[in-house]
Amino acid sequence: MGITRRDFLTRVGQAGGFSAAVVTMQALGLMPMKEVEAEQVKATTGAGKGVSIVVLGGGVAGLVTAYEARKLGYNVTVLEARHRPGGRAYSARGGDVLEFVDGTKQNITWAPGLYWNMGPARIPSVHGTILHYVRELKVPMEVCVNTSRSTLLQNDKVNGGKPYTQRKVINDTRGEVAELLTKALNGGALDSELTKQDRERLADIMHLWGPLDGKNKYTGSDRADVTQYPGAGPQEMIVNREPIPMHALLDGNFWNAELYEEQWDWQATMMQPVNGMQQISNALAKSLGPIVNFNCPVTEITKTDKGVKVVYEKAGVQHTIQADYCVCAMPLTILNKIKADLSPEVKATVSRAADSYRGSYKVPWEASTRFWEKDFNIYGGLSFLAKGPQPIWYPSNNLFAEGPSMICAGYQDEAIDGFNKLSMEEKFAASRQSIEKMHPGYGKLLSKPVFCGWKHVKWNEGSWIGAITKADYATITQNDGPIYFAGDHTSHVVGWQEGAAGSGRRAIQMISDHVKAARLGGKHSDTVSA
């Protein structure tokens, strides 16, 4: 009896790591990756006639909720605390003021035309719901270079602390692993039940995948690095550089960075809206027009006999709005702080979930020139360090442009390495040092840093939910009387606009189902045909 595919893949994974297993599965057709189609709201046109909904929060979840509700004829009002749409989908640019809950304000003074996506910055091709709105609203898109073989991987323990190019680390790792696998094949250690023909075919694959020489040795590859590129005339042919020894690769612990693009929702091709991620939210808000009310922070939510009453402030004046239903699309950190008429179970869930919110941050800089392109052959992608603010994120837009540009040094949770305990100036110094480690001498070209720590940002106080129990998730994904919930925290796609958009659709589906049942029961005077 021959070896099963499961056993074979397990052993490939053990020998070659996750990347090797993924490549093998995809080659066998066991791991297809295709776009997930956006599921339409199942409700009759005009189903919302005579029914009112107040949506709390003008981020992606709230905007999609309102967008889909209006299509069905609901009377919709959106209340947003900020002066802009998008919530965490924020493309910061010169002239903006980033305000923290403690009153700290950072005036952004980047050159005209420059921006940085402080929240979501890329859209996978498999995120069909958010891409549906991109198409429907005709938002111009461009490729987001999420990974590049020219970017750098650095660890103080190897190579004297000097970074390697990603292509060298990845391909030298592949070569060393291919050599080990071939030795296992020739020694019969992989599995004696593989047929002779299977072993020969697998050895051929290893020679190509490695690549290995005629003696089954990995001696370097032009895929990894070269000491000289081929040229015209008498210039010599390409010459490979010596490979990184396996022990150095193990010491370097580059695995997370090497496999960065293998995650199913980070694989090429990734995309971004032209001129910033906020363009999607801007398009949604523009299509909704006066439905969206800015500078209207909510202070109270109360259930009534007829639905719900919401109290909010605008220009220092208190206002009240009543509706049949409420969709709360605010971060749970904010909902937890206002007076909300929630059931004890829901209130406890909101409190626990709010405490778990992560503290993701970014530190973008204005660089006087795109030195990473001119001097390091890096066009988009991310470089990784073993310690310190990382990764280094290079822009995918305006390639080859002259003049100042943006670069980000640090995108992770601020609790890592005690970054949250540093002063603002110390944060900036650590961020600049990350650039210096990767690009010695170029840190001096950076200026106008901005620290966007989402735990501190007003009206957010957290980046995304960190952990939630199955019981709490079940609670927050159901309605509390006339109050429904939306946001990426009510999805299994946490931290992505995909989850937020899908949650908005789900909220309207739930309300529409309830409205239909109520009308069939004679509880609404305005009816539509089923």
Side-chain angles (χ1 to χ4, degrees):
M1 182 177 178
I3 186 172
T4 66
R5 288 192 296 185
R6 180 185 295 276
D7 290 338
F8 174 66
L9 289 168
T10 298
R11 296 179 188 216
V12 168
Q14 290 171 341
F18 177 73
S19 181
V22 167
V23 169
T24 305
M25 290 177 72
Q26 290 178 335
L28 293 172
L30 300 177
M31 198 174 181
M33 290 299 174
K34 64 180 182 179
E35 179 182 319
V36 179
E37 292 295 331
E39 185 176 347
Q40 300 292 332
V41 177
K42 297 178 178 65
T44 309
T45 301
K49 182 182 178 183
V51 181
S52 58
I53 300 176
V54 58
V55 178
L56 312 183
V60 171
L63 293 171
V64 168
T65 299
Y67 186 83
E68 293 298 333
R70 188 188 60 173
K71 282 182 179 179
L72 296 173
Y74 289 96
N75 179 14
V76 189
T77 301
V78 179
L79 300 176
E80 166 55 44
R82 296 180 174 87
H83 68 282
R84 60 166 180 83
R88 202 173 68 247
Y90 169 44
S91 303
R93 53 191 85 235
D96 287 356
V97 178
L98 185 60
E99 184 176 358
F100 288 173
V101 290
D102 65 0
T104 299
K105 293 183 179 180
Q106 296 177 78
N107 295 309
I108 301 177
T109 59
W110 302 329
L114 299 184
Y115 70 89
W116 195 261
N117 293 315
M118 295 299 199
R122 48 201 167 188
I123 300 177
S125 62
V126 293
H127 281 186
T129 304
I130 196 68
L131 289 176
H132 164 80
Y133 294 106
V134 164
R135 293 188 181 96
E136 190 163 307
L137 296 166
K138 296 180 172 56
V139 179
M141 301 292 285
E142 61 190 0
V143 170
C144 173
V145 184
N146 191 46
T147 184
S148 166
R149 291 293 191 263
S150 296
T151 54
L152 307 172
L153 307 180
Q154 186 273 344
N155 190 316
D156 291 338
K157 296 180 180 179
V158 297
N159 201 31
K162 297 178 182 178
Y164 289 114
T165 60
Q166 190 180 137
R167 70 168 57 87
K168 183 164 181 60
V169 172
I170 287 177
N171 285 290
D172 283 352
T173 299
R174 182 182 295 176
E176 301 285 0
V177 169
E179 183 176 324
L180 289 174
L181 277 170
T182 305
K183 288 178 180 177
L185 278 171
N186 291 338
L190 183 61
D191 198 299
S192 58
E193 292 185 358
L194 282 172
T195 67
K196 180 176 182 295
Q197 187 178 38
D198 287 339
R199 291 196 296 273
E200 289 173 351
R201 287 175 175 174
L202 188 54
D204 289 341
I205 293 172
M206 290 301 102
H207 274 257
L208 292 172
W209 187 67
L212 306 180
D213 63 16
K215 298 180 180 179
N216 298 330
K217 292 287 187 179
Y218 176 68
T219 58
S221 165
D222 57 8
R223 302 174 189 170
D225 200 5
V226 299
T227 58
Q228 177 177 283
Y229 288 95
Q235 186 170 329
E236 294 182 17
M237 292 293 289
I238 195 167
V239 179
N240 299 335
R241 191 180 297 275
E242 286 293 314
I244 305 169
M246 176 60 90
H247 69 82
L249 290 169
L250 294 173
D251 288 342
N253 192 25
F254 297 126
W255 316 120
N256 286 337
E258 286 191 65
L259 300 176
Y260 188 75
E261 65 177 313
E262 298 292 355
Q263 299 184 61
W264 74 274
D265 52 357
W266 282 359
Q267 296 176 10
T269 301
M270 299 196 82
M271 290 155 280
Q272 62 185 25
V274 174
N275 201 28
M277 189 61 74
Q278 196 178 327
Q279 299 304 321
I280 299 174
S281 299
N282 288 348
L284 282 164
K286 183 179 179 181
S287 72
L288 292 169
I291 286 176
V292 185
N293 297 270
F294 296 108
N295 299 306
C296 295
V298 172
T299 59
E300 186 177 346
I301 310 169
T302 306
K303 297 168 188 168
T304 69
D305 292 339
K306 296 183 178 180
V308 66
K309 179 181 74 173
V310 174
V311 179
Y312 64 97
E313 293 181 356
K314 187 173 180 65
V317 179
Q318 193 174 85
H319 299 266
T320 300
I321 183 172
Q322 302 211 34
D324 295 309
Y325 299 95
C326 167
V327 177
C328 181
M330 298 187 295
L332 299 183
T333 48
I334 306 304
L335 175 61
N336 193 43
K337 288 190 169 187
I338 68 173
K339 186 177 180 181
D341 184 10
L342 303 173
S343 70
E345 182 183 16
V346 173
K347 191 178 290 288
T349 290
V350 169
S351 177
R352 285 189 292 266
D355 287 341
S356 79
Y357 267 63
R358 299 284 297 275
S360 181
Y361 75 88
K362 288 183 181 178
V363 182
W365 299 74
E366 180 179 313
S368 58
T369 181
R370 300 173 77 98
F371 62 83
W372 50 91
E373 293 180 358
K374 294 181 178 179
D375 299 340
F376 294 88
N377 190 41
I378 295 174
Y379 297 89
L382 301 97
S383 290
F384 294 87
L385 300 91
K387 191 176 181 62
Q390 59 101 27
I392 310 301
W393 197 330
Y394 309 94
S396 299
N397 63 311
N398 298 329
L399 301 180
F400 299 99
E402 297 294 330
S405 181
M406 299 300 301
I407 188 171
C408 181
Y411 172 38
Q412 55 188 353
D413 195 286
E414 63 176 292
I416 296 174
D417 295 332
F419 194 75
N420 55 342
K421 298 178 181 178
L422 302 179
S423 68
M424 190 73 81
E425 290 307 313
E426 288 171 334
K427 286 181 171 69
F428 293 148
S431 176
R432 190 193 296 270
Q433 181 58 29
S434 290
I435 294 287
E436 273 294 312
K437 275 193 171 184
M438 290 299 196
H439 308 289
Y442 288 85
K444 62 188 177 184
L445 301 182
L446 308 179
S447 63
K448 306 175 184 178
V450 174
F451 167 65
C452 182
W454 285 103
K455 260 193 178 298
H456 314 284
V457 174
K458 196 173 182 179
W459 309 122
N460 275 93
E461 301 188 34
S463 49
W464 49 77
I465 200 167
I468 189 169
T469 65
K470 288 184 177 180
D472 282 345
Y473 184 79
T475 297
I476 203 66
T477 51
Q478 297 302 314
N479 59 299
D480 184 0
I483 303 171
Y484 292 71
F485 302 95
D488 64 295
H489 51 272
T490 65
S491 81
H492 291 295
V493 199
V494 176
W496 292 95
Q497 295 174 104
E498 180 74 3
S503 74
R505 283 173 170 251
R506 181 175 183 272
I508 290 304
Q509 183 67 67
M510 292 171 68
I511 290 174
S512 295
D513 291 344
H514 190 271
V515 168
K516 182 177 180 179
R519 284 181 170 158
L520 289 173
K523 295 181 181 180
H524 283 277
S525 57
D526 293 312
T527 59
V528 293
S529 58

